Amino acid sequence: MSNLHKRAMEAVLEAAELDITQTLKENDIRDRHSEEADDVMFDVAILHAYRIFVRICERQGLTVDAPLFADMAADLAEEMAAEAEGD
């Protein structure tokens, strides 16, 4: 992984962490290990992934296809779950 890629990834992670912290505060969630906190973290992670997908599509001159993103994300999640079960 190049230094540029590492820096970009760190910036995305920092932005997500800020969003998570803010959303937890807005929803008055104090227990970071609760199911509600897990839901917030998943929502923020998915939102950030979608934003990246949108930017990539825009830069490549492609139409943003939200249903395609959702289908591909679901497929990837199923694959990763199957791999985890196989370990």
Side-chain angles (χ1 to χ4, degrees):
M1 183 181 309
S2 70
N3 284 335
L4 178 61
H5 187 218
K6 287 179 187 177
R7 288 195 319 258
M9 186 62 102
E10 285 301 316
V12 168
L13 292 173
E14 286 178 31
E17 180 61 31
L18 290 172
D19 284 350
I20 288 167
T21 300
Q22 185 63 31
T23 305
L24 290 172
K25 284 181 186 176
E26 288 172 0
N27 292 295
D28 197 32
I29 300 170
R30 292 187 174 98
D31 181 3
R32 285 184 160 259
H33 301 286
S34 69
E35 187 174 328
E36 294 165 318
D38 287 347
D39 289 344
V40 165
M41 287 185 243
F42 286 128
D43 288 347
V44 169
I46 291 166
L47 180 58
H48 278 262
Y50 183 72
R51 287 176 180 160
I52 291 168
F53 175 74
V54 168
R55 289 285 183 91
I56 290 169
C57 288
E58 288 171 348
R59 288 193 175 189
Q60 297 298 317
L62 303 171
T63 301
V64 175
D65 187 343
L68 175 62
F69 173 84
D71 289 345
M72 292 177 72
D75 290 346
L76 178 60
E78 288 176 11
E79 289 174 24
M80 294 181 77
E83 285 179 15
E85 288 176 4
D87 290 343

